[in-house]
Amino acid sequence: MDFEEFEGGVYVKGAEKFSLEDTLDCGQCFRWEKIGDKFYGTAYKKEACVYFRGDDLAIEGASVEEAETLWCDYFDLRVSYENIKKELADKSEVLSEAIEYCPGIRILRQDPWETLCSFIISQNNNIPRIKGIVGRFCEKFGEKLSRGYAFPDARTTARLNEEDLEYIRSGFRAKYIIDAARKVSSGEVDMEALRRAPIQAARDDLTKIKGVGPKVAECTLLYGLGRLEAFPEDVWMKKIMKTFFPGSSGEAFGRYAGVAQQYLFHYVRMNPQKLIVE
DNA sequence: GCCCAGGTATAAA
DNA sequence: TTTATACATGGG
């Protein structure tokens, strides 16, 4: 991978091409906004505008160092999705179809706390409203950056109470956000340790947080902690498993189960007629 | 008004 | 252990 500076940003050259559209709008993150063919977003308290220029990924607003240490990591550009997709496509016909439908999806490596908090907000909620709540949360409590706001960190959030959160209109989830912030900022749940912990121990640790059940835990592991074997099973995935893989569980997809899940999820969400209803 | 949304806590069977 | 219901909010 190479980096080339241009006025106001950096090109990343030689990384595998992927789809920003599918990656940033497949339900794994809630803070990117598409304007024209450029995507504006924030990660780890840094803002950027990203788009492809031919095969090069342009990152406006980043230095070479930030591109290398932050954005390559965020988009996980050192991992070959071509290899992962080959391994997965051999596992099932439907999965192979799903990969063909949206081959450009990648799993992001988001900030663990932001991921946990976002998916707590996601429970029994819809994506437009999740984005609204997360947006208000950042505006009200996040650090001001040049264009928008950073995601409020766990320590800041831990000092808030339920009344403070009324502004973001997260409803019954407010108390869960606060419990999560307190357990994360105190170290009672050590997010960094969960990157390497045995997967079941990591699940058990996360579900100690009020409002974190199996789904939120898996999403946090997959989208925030780099655990590609995690397998979030929401209402869609339950229908998918019932329709195409009856009697089977996510473990059947092996070490990249979470990646498989994301292709299947996006494919079926865009083509719901593929599912057996009821 | 009614229904549902990338679920979870809680109580009851 | 498995199954039912409430939960805040807002868009369709």
Side-chain angles (χ1 to χ4, degrees):
Chain A
M1 230 156 26
D2 269 329
F3 302 91
E4 182 187 321
E5 281 185 272
F6 64 90
E7 182 66 28
V10 179
Y11 291 123
V12 181
K13 310 171 89 92
E16 277 178 8
K17 193 145 184 186
F18 65 99
S19 163
L20 286 164
E21 178 92 45
D22 288 347
T23 298
L24 299 175
D25 191 26
C26 65
Q28 64 171 319
C29 58
F30 304 101
R31 294 206 64 205
W32 288 88
E33 189 189 2
K34 186 180 184 190
I35 300 177
D37 58 351
K38 299 183 174 179
F39 292 81
Y40 292 80
T42 306
Y44 300 96
K45 301 194 178 184
K46 296 286 179 185
E47 294 176 304
C49 164
V50 299
Y51 52 95
F52 272 96
R53 185 78 184 265
D55 288 337
D56 301 336
L57 179 65
I59 309 178
E60 282 181 16
S63 63
V64 171
E65 201 213 324
E66 280 168 10
E68 199 166 359
T69 60
L70 194 162
W71 296 108
C72 283
D73 186 48
Y74 182 77
F75 290 107
D76 205 13
L77 297 182
R78 293 176 187 86
V79 168
S80 167
Y81 270 62
E82 295 310 318
N83 291 341
I84 295 177
K85 283 187 285 182
K86 268 179 216 153
E87 182 171 329
L88 288 175
D90 284 338
K91 287 183 182 291
S92 125
E93 186 63 32
V94 192
L95 180 50
S96 178
E97 263 176 55
I99 291 170
E100 217 164 292
Y101 178 79
C102 44
I105 290 184
R106 300 179 69 89
I107 304 295
L108 299 169
R109 285 176 173 268
Q110 301 178 69
D111 172 71
W113 156 250
E114 174 174 344
T115 311
L116 170 64
C117 191
S118 299
F119 279 93
I120 285 173
I121 291 168
S122 82
Q123 69 175 257
N124 197 36
N125 213 341
N126 56 64
I127 290 176
R129 207 171 88 87
I130 296 164
K131 288 181 175 172
I133 294 169
V134 170
R136 287 189 291 278
F137 184 46
C138 296
E139 255 171 57
K140 185 76 172 178
F141 302 107
E143 187 183 320
K144 178 76 180 93
L145 305 175
S146 56
R147 185 170 184 274
Y149 297 84
F151 197 92
D153 58 37
R155 213 172 37 126
T156 305
T157 310
R159 285 192 253 105
L160 305 177
N161 57 42
E162 279 185 59
E163 284 180 13
D164 296 324
L165 286 179
E166 281 174 10
Y167 175 84
I168 71 173
R169 309 202 291 281
S170 57
F172 63 88
R173 307 165 191 85
K175 52 185 175 293
Y176 301 155
I177 293 170
I178 290 165
D179 187 59
R182 297 196 171 151
K183 289 195 166 109
V184 169
S185 64
S186 71
E188 186 178 339
V189 175
D190 181 349
M191 296 299 268
E192 287 308 312
L194 300 188
R195 293 183 190 279
R196 292 172 175 282
I199 190 75
Q200 191 53 48
R203 289 180 177 124
D204 293 344
D205 232 31
L206 284 168
T207 49
K208 290 193 303 194
I209 297 164
K210 300 270 186 253
V212 176
K215 167 64 175 27
V216 174
E218 297 298 304
C219 287
T220 303
L221 288 163
L222 178 59
Y223 307 127
L225 291 161
R227 301 301 295 259
L228 299 186
E229 76 272 44
F231 192 79
E233 244 191 283
D234 71 332
V235 285
W236 286 91
M237 284 309 298
K238 281 174 187 157
K239 288 180 196 165
I240 289 169
M241 296 307 281
K242 193 173 170 183
T243 305
F244 299 115
F245 309 99
S248 163
S249 76
E251 287 170 29
F253 296 111
R255 59 186 168 152
Y256 298 123
V259 185
Q261 179 270 160
Q262 197 62 42
Y263 289 117
L264 288 166
F265 173 76
H266 193 70
Y267 175 55
V268 170
R269 197 168 57 117
M270 298 298 166
N271 301 279
Q273 75 283 3
K274 298 279 180 191
L275 291 178
I276 300 167
V277 195
E278 215 71 4

